Amino acid sequence: MTGGPPKLFTIGASAPFAVTLARGLLARLGGDPLALASATIYLPTRRAARGFGDAFARVLGGAALLPQFHALADADEDDLLFDADSEMTLPPAIAPLRRQLLLAHLVRRWDRAQRGGALSFAQSAALERKLGSLMDEITTQGCDPARIADLAPLPLAEHWQEAGGFLTYLYEQWPAILAAEGTADIAVRRNQAIRALAQRLETVPPPGLVIAAGSTGSIPATAELLGVIACLPNGALVLPGLNRALDDASWDGLDPGHPQYGLKQLLDRIGVARFAVKDWHGADSNSAREHLLSETLRPAPTTDAWRALVNRGGGDIAQGLQGLSLVEAA
């Protein structure tokens, strides 16, 4: 990442994230509510943006000039607030129904050429739903479609050769179809918009505070943007509930199913050590409850560490259980 050193913070899992962020931001601005209007906050979803607006209003005690909130998960050109004089233009996203029909037509055309037309159009349209999801995932994760044929050894399964051949055919035909339509896939357009925003922020940093909060950067393009924001002169990245108490062996061995895995990937991409992440301004959390959660979600290969909890009497775990209730449902 270019610019200054990345500035990363975290708000504990036991603290109310939106309210804690609002209080810390006001403290960082010296209590000046007018300065809040010049701040920009990037959040994971539009729903989160609405919730954060309510949280800021509660902290401020009523009506106030709030920061600009922007959602990243469903970002488009307007949501990311490109400058009016920006020369950046993106093709419109293809309409979902139009995409479904075009992909179904491709499926049927390939089926006719390879298998004599065994599929009806209705069957082709049904297959398109899974196919479209696969294409979006490949784009979102930044995978190279050219490597699809290498996913399984050829002797492993004959039907995989057929599937790989179809995907190769698809990626040969689909870009030309989109070009003729003058459109782009939604996932492609989102990645382009996010990377364009990152480049703009890096080239011309805004004068006000720029904060990305609550996102784990599971999408590579989003992770790049978060890294840029963290390095801005007035930027900061606020992570949700980073576990800094977990031992190094467990942290290094996290698997993709663990709730902290996305945060680990993000820190690795930005190049920041876990213990270099600071507490957000004025963050107040329940350390005993967070310790309980950390141990409960400890990766299976290191659960032998629970023996040490037993040897210590389990007092810290008991403290974390205070205030919890057990509900036995039918």
Side-chain angles (χ1 to χ4, degrees):
M1 299 297 172
T2 59
K7 297 172 285 297
L8 276 75
F9 302 87
T10 187
I11 294 175
S14 62
F17 191 87
V19 171
T20 303
L21 179 72
R23 289 173 177 164
L25 184 55
L26 287 173
R28 184 168 179 166
L29 294 173
D32 182 4
L34 294 180
L36 197 61
S38 65
T40 303
I41 301 179
Y42 292 95
L43 298 163
T45 63
R46 285 180 175 155
R47 180 179 179 181
R50 291 193 295 270
F52 272 72
D54 294 339
F56 272 88
R58 289 197 303 271
V59 171
L60 290 167
L65 295 175
L66 297 179
Q68 301 175 54
F69 297 106
H70 299 294
L72 294 174
D74 44 6
D76 59 33
E77 193 169 351
D78 294 330
D79 287 332
L80 293 183
L81 199 65
F82 284 102
D83 291 333
D85 58 351
S86 172
E87 297 180 359
M88 176 63 190
T89 58
L90 297 176
I94 188 169
L97 179 58
R98 179 67 175 168
R99 185 196 197 208
Q100 182 179 359
L101 294 173
L102 290 173
L103 284 175
H105 176 70
L106 268 183
V107 171
R108 200 174 189 196
R109 192 166 71 185
W110 177 86
D111 178 62
R112 285 174 175 172
Q114 298 295 323
R115 303 190 301 180
L119 295 176
S120 66
F121 186 80
Q123 290 172 318
S124 300
L127 289 173
E128 179 281 332
R129 294 185 183 94
K130 293 291 185 181
L131 176 62
S133 298
L134 174 63
M135 293 173 62
D136 289 341
E137 187 67 15
I138 289 173
T139 299
T140 297
Q141 297 303 324
C143 301
D144 182 5
R147 300 183 60 187
I148 288 175
D150 302 330
L151 291 178
L154 292 181
L156 186 62
E158 185 176 346
H159 70 272
W160 171 250
Q161 298 180 40
E162 185 178 41
F166 167 69
L167 291 173
T168 299
Y169 167 80
L170 172 68
Y171 276 100
E172 289 173 351
Q173 301 294 321
W174 188 238
I177 292 175
L178 287 175
E181 295 280 314
T183 59
D185 270 328
I186 295 175
V188 172
R189 191 178 188 277
R190 181 195 58 223
N191 284 352
Q192 290 174 340
I194 291 175
R195 289 192 167 103
L197 172 63
Q199 183 179 6
R200 181 167 67 86
L201 290 175
E202 195 171 26
T203 303
V204 186
L209 284 175
V210 180
I211 294 176
S215 179
T216 60
S218 57
I219 297 174
T222 303
E224 294 174 18
L225 172 61
L226 297 180
V228 168
I229 292 175
C231 294
L232 293 176
N234 293 325
L237 174 57
V238 185
L239 302 176
L242 176 66
N243 188 346
R244 291 169 295 180
L246 193 63
D247 59 273
D248 290 339
S250 298
W251 179 261
D252 294 338
L254 292 180
D255 61 72
H258 195 278
Q260 292 283 315
Y261 182 78
L263 293 173
K264 181 180 184 300
Q265 273 194 318
L266 179 60
L267 292 178
D268 290 342
R269 285 189 175 120
I270 297 177
V272 174
R274 178 171 45 133
F275 297 106
V277 179
K278 303 176 182 178
D279 288 319
W280 179 243
H281 308 276
D284 186 19
S285 59
N286 185 335
S287 58
R289 180 66 51 79
E290 291 178 13
H291 178 61
L292 170 66
L293 291 173
S294 175
E295 291 297 336
T296 302
L297 298 174
R298 173 179 287 279
T302 63
T303 51
D304 59 311
W306 286 342
R307 184 174 299 277
L309 300 177
V310 176
N311 294 335
R312 292 199 303 267
D316 44 357
I317 297 297
Q319 187 178 356
L321 288 169
Q322 292 181 4
L324 292 181
S325 300
L326 173 64
V327 177
E328 295 185 1

